[in-house]
Amino acid sequence: TFSPDGERIAFRSNRDGGGLFVMGATGESVRRATASGFDPSWSPDGARLGDATEGVPDAYSRIPPSELWTDDLASGKTTKMPSGGDAVQPAWSPGGARIAYWSNTLGQRDIKTIPAAGGSPVAVTNDPATDWAPEWSPDGKWLYFISDRGGSPNVWRVAIDEQSGATRGTPEAITNGVRPLASARFS
């Protein structure tokens, strides 16, 4: 994933024992950022990464738990976030206030957010639908995600307060049955 300024890329690799790596946008100066982690997400200032301890090849078959971590790139300090028992596919909000993720709690897969500085998670969805792959809109007013709530996996969104994590309405479909989706990202 590209850093907010477009100058660096963070990625997962199994090279040299595995972990998260950061390199220049054209492939130069590769360095290990962490010895573990999957699905890196940049903080808006480019100083930290959010990541999970588990990668997600299939939203329907994964078994918890996975932990949510933040990693300071300058100091190397890592911080475990109190995500409530399970967290994967983190997405840092554009204003830096919150990190969205999804969790599997007793087979129910829902979207949550947590304050980036630490604190209690806030549920974004809490229903039988399988919801995964959260992604903030560039203005921080919407949280997009993949859900099978309409029958097949499609892109959905819900209005959200980036500071509190409170939703401002119910989820609405963005795509409808075009084809099954695994994730979606803004360019």
Side-chain angles (χ1 to χ4, degrees):
T1 183
F2 277 93
S3 62
D5 63 7
E7 297 295 319
R8 295 172 291 163
I9 299 172
F11 62 97
R12 164 74 190 178
S13 175
N14 290 330
R15 70 173 78 189
D16 302 327
L20 295 180
F21 293 78
V22 174
M23 69 180 182
T26 58
E28 73 283 357
S29 305
V30 177
R31 72 173 182 89
R32 180 191 312 271
T34 67
S36 62
F38 292 86
D39 296 315
S41 177
W42 290 93
S43 63
D45 63 4
R48 296 179 289 164
L49 294 175
D51 64 87
T53 56
E54 178 190 346
V56 181
D58 178 9
Y60 294 100
S61 66
R62 71 167 289 270
I63 299 172
S66 175
E67 298 170 343
L68 180 64
W69 289 80
T70 60
D71 314 300
D72 185 286
L73 295 174
S75 71
K77 180 183 176 191
T78 60
T79 303
K80 181 179 174 184
M81 301 297 287
S83 57
D86 185 49
V88 290
Q89 296 180 324
W92 216 301
S93 68
R98 303 191 77 75
I99 300 173
Y101 61 93
W102 69 274
S103 68
N104 180 350
T105 305
L106 302 174
Q108 185 170 319
R109 292 152 175 91
D110 286 306
I111 306 292
K112 298 179 181 181
T113 68
I114 189 169
S120 298
V122 174
V124 174
T125 62
N126 185 15
D127 53 40
T130 298
D131 304 319
W132 71 95
E135 177 78 6
W136 293 88
S137 63
D139 62 8
K141 294 180 180 179
W142 297 90
L143 192 59
Y144 287 75
F145 56 97
I146 307 300
S147 179
D148 65 3
R149 63 187 56 240
S152 65
N154 281 287
V155 178
W156 289 71
R157 74 177 185 176
V158 64
I160 192 165
D161 179 336
E162 185 181 349
Q163 296 302 311
S164 70
T167 57
R168 296 179 172 169
T170 59
E172 57 187 56
I174 300 302
T175 62
N176 188 7
V178 177
R179 64 177 179 222
L181 300 170
S183 65
R185 299 289 181 251
F186 283 92
S187 64

